[in-house]
Amino acid sequence: MTFLFDLFAQAAQMALVLALAPVLIGFTRKVKARLLRRRGPPLLQPWYDLIRLLRKDVVLAHDASWLYRAAPYLIFSTTWVAASLVPTFATGLMFGWIADLIALTALLGAARFFLALAGMDVGTSFGGIGSSRETMFGSLAEPATIMIAFIVSLIAGSTQLSEVAAYMASDFALRVSVLFALIGLIIVAIAENGRIPVDNPATHLELTMVHEAMILEYSGRHLAIIEMASALKLLLYVSLIGCIFFPFGIAPPDGSLADMGYGVAFYVVKIFVAGFLLALFEVSTAKMRIFRVSDFLGAALMLGLLGTLLVFVTRSL
Amino acid sequence: MQEHLSLDIAQLLAGGLVLVSFMLLYQDRLTGLINIFALHALVLTLSVAWQAHVQNAAHLYVTAAIALVFKAIVIPYSLHKIVKALRVHRTVEVVGGIGATMLVGMFLMGLSLVVMLPATTTADPFAREDLAFALTIVLLGMLMMVTRRNAVSQIIGFMSLENGLVLAAAGANGMPLVVEISVAFSILIAFIVIGIFLFRIRERFDTVDLYELDRVRGERR
């Protein structure tokens, strides 16, 4: 019986992240529009867009190889797996033991690899630009992520997200290194998801785009799946920040159904707060030059290094 | 638990001060630099006030008040005025590679931790971490004075260096009030003198970029 319950909880989490990801995007867009005194599209607009795209035909370039057709599914599946491994409303889920910070980084790295390959596959110049920029950002963001993972795992004594979340929820203390890790992870999340200071998700201006440049040639269901994957990636980072740094109300490993209900409620609130803050941040900053991004991400790497140093300082006191 | 939490808060504030020092190194616009300097002084105020609360030392509150009034309000305000008057408020400073500077800063932080933590094993934890962080802030201020070309940002480097000294003094448990007040006022005097110098430099060379001085002295770069 417990086996069935565990399976159900895991399946619920997979469905939950899938359902919530476009809503988060829609909510961010709505808040941004309201802050600019416009009305904005409805909250579920990303879902409507996805459904519309799914019904349309795929237009393929003549030069597209099998990789081009396979890439959306690979990107989507790796991102979905990663997103459903992060503890959102409960720790100690059935597959929680795979939810390792290093494994998550690797899964996202694989998704990025396929996305960059697909961008170059058709042979248009925009795709190449996008891929080269994405790889540059990735090569800077990944060491930062790993350093942040080190901080967190040095404090919690494990790289498994379930255990980290459980530790952070049980042992509340103010730590400098955790603060540094939080800021670093926010910077990485902004850069990885192509949000405003790094890349503008709403533009198709060729000089600035990164993510959009790589998927410019996609259409129909392929585009829908890639859009879904990028929505999932944003949700993944939000829930990662939520479960490591703000693990309030998260259900314990052998939690009852009521605990999980509370967990879901808290999780949804966290998601909406994060979406609101993201929108606020995006409205109040301007996009930076592409050559400034390396400094921006370098700051995240530096925060990771500083935080790791400080963990040892705190230990020695 | 209470002891632990108060140590955590002290460390959070001192670490935050180091973080703001790194933000100073990162920023290359003069207006933003001055605002971050005000933030630096604000974090220093909080840190000193927390030390005063923990050590039950009333005179440290005076230090905090001095830091708040002079360094977080008066000096940034007059720096803004100076920058406006010199007409350099839109200047983006040419810094030779922010990434490299940050790496050097990291190295300096590691160095000060390596030096300070073994050297102060007998002191109490508050003084230890404050001293280590204060040395970092001093070194970062010096780094900023070395790497910047613009005289205004060199002043800010100098002032942030002094903030590190105040942090060390507050953590070291027992710096007389007279010394603190005199240090604060000497900083203020230094600020006025530097301000006058800035205008003199500008009058002479039509710029506050100190690399121009090399040319005047006949040194080749």
Side-chain angles (χ1 to χ4, degrees), chain A residues 3-288:
Chain A
F3 175 76
L4 273 182
F5 183 70
D6 285 351
L7 202 65
F8 167 74
Q10 185 69 53
Q13 158 140 349
M14 293 188 80
L16 185 72
V17 289
L18 202 61
L20 271 182
V23 181
L24 174 62
I25 298 268
F27 180 70
T28 317
R29 281 187 198 154
K30 184 88 182 170
V31 173
K32 269 172 85 169
R34 297 302 306 195
L35 286 173
L36 298 172
R37 313 210 65 178
R38 288 188 274 119
R39 188 167 294 149
L43 202 62
L44 291 178
Q45 188 63 43
W47 262 122
Y48 303 149
D49 287 347
L50 287 174
I51 292 164
R52 179 177 51 101
L53 281 173
L54 279 175
R55 281 206 302 262
K56 293 200 169 186
D57 275 344
V58 171
V59 181
L60 269 182
H62 284 296
D63 303 326
S65 68
W66 62 270
L67 184 77
Y68 189 74
R69 271 168 285 140
Y73 303 101
L74 290 166
I75 295 164
F76 175 73
S77 50
T78 43
T79 318
W80 193 21
V81 167
S84 41
L85 287 180
V86 178
T88 53
F89 60 89
T91 57
L93 284 178
M94 196 174 179
F95 296 116
W97 57 276
I98 330 172
D100 190 282
L101 270 168
I102 313 281
L104 279 186
T105 318
L107 277 172
L108 289 177
R112 186 195 350 260
F113 173 69
F114 286 117
L115 191 60
L117 276 189
M120 291 187 289
D121 189 71
V122 182
T124 57
S125 48
F126 283 157
I129 289 181
S131 300
S132 106
R133 288 175 178 170
E134 174 83 8
T135 338
M136 182 186 94
F137 296 170
S139 67
L140 291 163
E142 246 164 53
T145 321
I146 296 284
M147 287 316 290
I148 292 159
F150 282 156
I151 299 178
V152 170
S153 52
L154 274 171
I155 288 173
S158 165
T159 51
Q160 269 184 35
L161 273 173
S162 276
E163 286 179 31
V164 170
Y167 181 84
M168 291 285 182
S170 66
D171 177 81
F172 178 76
L174 287 168
R175 295 188 185 85
V176 201
S177 29
V178 171
L179 176 75
F180 285 10
L182 173 63
I183 301 173
L185 195 56
I186 288 173
I187 292 178
V188 168
I190 285 169
E192 287 272 40
N193 287 295
R195 304 307 297 193
I196 253 181
V198 173
D199 178 18
N200 191 345
T203 182
H204 278 89
L205 187 67
E206 62 270 22
L207 284 175
T208 58
M209 58 188 178
V210 180
H211 180 77
E212 297 299 321
M214 283 186 291
I215 62 172
L216 206 56
E217 299 289 321
Y218 274 113
S219 55
R221 58 173 188 279
H222 290 161
L223 184 60
I225 288 171
I226 287 192
E227 292 286 347
M228 189 70 198
S230 69
L232 271 173
K233 196 170 169 186
L234 181 64
L235 187 83
L236 183 150
Y237 272 98
V238 167
S239 30
L240 195 62
I241 292 171
C243 86
I244 296 178
F245 301 104
F246 307 100
F248 314 124
I250 202 162
D254 45 358
S256 61
L257 207 58
D259 283 340
M260 298 218 171
Y262 277 126
V264 171
F266 268 100
Y267 177 62
V268 172
V269 170
K270 274 189 255 181
I271 289 283
F272 281 106
V273 169
F276 179 79
L277 290 178
L278 178 67
L280 200 65
F281 179 69
E282 286 200 308
V283 166
S284 55
T285 48
K287 196 188 159 310
M288 62 172 76

Side-chain angles (χ1 to χ4, degrees), chain B residues 83-143:
Chain B
V83 161
K84 275 250 171 65
L86 292 173
R87 263 175 268 124
V88 287
H89 58 284
R90 293 220 177 102
T91 313
V92 177
E93 192 174 5
V94 197
V95 191
I98 287 177
T101 320
M102 295 291 242
L103 276 181
V104 176
M106 276 304 309
F107 171 75
L108 289 178
M109 172 153 190
L111 184 74
S112 57
L113 291 182
V114 166
V115 170
M116 270 304 179
L117 290 180
T120 53
T121 37
T122 49
D124 72 320
F126 281 95
R128 282 185 76 190
E129 47 97 14
D130 264 6
L131 281 178
F133 285 135
L135 184 62
T136 313
I137 293 164
V138 169
L139 289 177
L140 288 179
M142 286 181 181
L143 179 67

